[in-house]
Amino acid sequence: MMTSFSPQAVSHPGLPPRHFLDIADIEAGALRRMVNLAALYRTGNAPEALRRPLAGKTLAMIFEKPSTRTRVSFQVGMQQLGGDVVVLSHQDTQLGRGETIPDASRVLSRFVDILMIRTFAPETLHELADYASVPVINGLTDETHPCQVMADIATFEQHRGEIEGKVIGWTGDGNNVAQSWIEAAPKFGFEIRLACPEGLEPNAGIVAAARKAGASVIIGRDARELLDGVDCVITDTWLSMHDTDTDRSNMLLPYQVNADLMGYAKPNALFMHCLPAHRNEEVTDEVMDGPQSVVWDEAENRLHAQKAIMVWCMGKIS
Ligand code: CP
Ligand code: NVA
């Protein structure tokens, strides 16, 4: 689990930019080094050469959806690394008046050194990356939320040691966060079990790819059965930002994380939620505020994990 970071930059002149689009696209060793570096940032033990390696660099963030954690943690993280930040909301830029993503991507690449986008369709993220000459980071799409899951894995390891060989349980909507967890399973070597109601299962292609890459991905309807003996229980909101339904409470109430459901997991199982939570919908106050919950550490680890991601994107670690 220990990783040493060589002080010299791993520069790759002439090579395409190192994007952080989806966990499935990135080599397992690089993901492991990012999670290990996140832990060093958290404990204040990062090597001197990686403390402020992005001095003089600028990150631009494009938001097509609201955000608290992603926005603040990227901004503070980039500042801690020595860099600057520009925040762009879609409607305040020419993107909101129809400038195309390829044109905006080429222009922004002339001004800044890293781009982050929170958007709807994954195609928008990929189009931005295809036309960018600087690294692009996925700050959430309708399909995935990889920065969140890197922080979640760092949080699990902060409390329980290496995640390899552990069993992660998800209950509720098989959404963007769940799908990045599935993509992480073969990369980090854990099993994932998801309890989802009919119609809210994760994308079959993402599940098939993770299984093909060697992961145990178990999907079913019965949350109690699936969470039996897991090392971590995770859930998320009943309605994501891109969802158009107005009410899923009947479907999702049986998947609520309450003391009864937590009782099926291991006695020392962690509870995680990417936040924002809708208290007493997908999770009760007693679990959110209870001794197994690590949601505030999880939020903090967004900062540390994204610093490691930006450092990797800029070629400062391999
Ligand atoms: N978890 C997360 O991405 O939070 P925000 O929507 O506040 O960025
Ligand atoms: N699944 C949620 C995550 C929010 C951080 C959403 O997409 O709204």
Side-chain angles (χ1 to χ4, degrees), residues 253-267:
L253 195 55
Y255 297 85
Q256 181 190 65
V257 184
N258 48 37
D260 172 63
L261 190 56
M262 280 305 286
Y264 288 84
K266 274 194 184 150

Side-chain angles (χ1 to χ4, degrees), residues 32 34 102 116 146 155 197-198 233 247 250 254 265 302 311 317-318:
R32 167 46 67 199
M34 287 184 246
M116 193 235 58
T155 307
E198 189 176 359
V233 174
D247 185 13
N250 287 342
R302 294 294 303 279
V311 163
I317 61 169
S318 59

Side-chain angles (χ1 to χ4, degrees), residues 66-71 118 145 148 241 274-276 302:
S67 167
T68 299
R69 278 143 288 267
T70 305
R71 176 178 169 150
R118 167 166 285 195
H145 194 1
Q148 180 68 52
M241 291 180 274
C274 65
L275 308 179
R302 294 294 303 279

Side-chain angles (χ1 to χ4, degrees), residues 242-255:
H242 61 275
D243 286 322
T244 48
D245 327 26
T246 51
D247 185 13
R248 288 177 175 168
S249 49
N250 287 342
M251 284 171 96
L252 284 163
L253 195 55
Y255 297 85

Side-chain angles (χ1 to χ4, degrees), residues 65 118 140-141 145 148 175-177 236-237 239-242 274-276 302:
K65 290 174 176 170
R118 167 166 285 195
L140 178 148
T141 69
H145 194 1
Q148 180 68 52
N175 65 14
N176 43 9
V177 180
D236 191 8
T237 177
L239 285 170
S240 284
M241 291 180 274
H242 61 275
C274 65
L275 308 179
R302 294 294 303 279

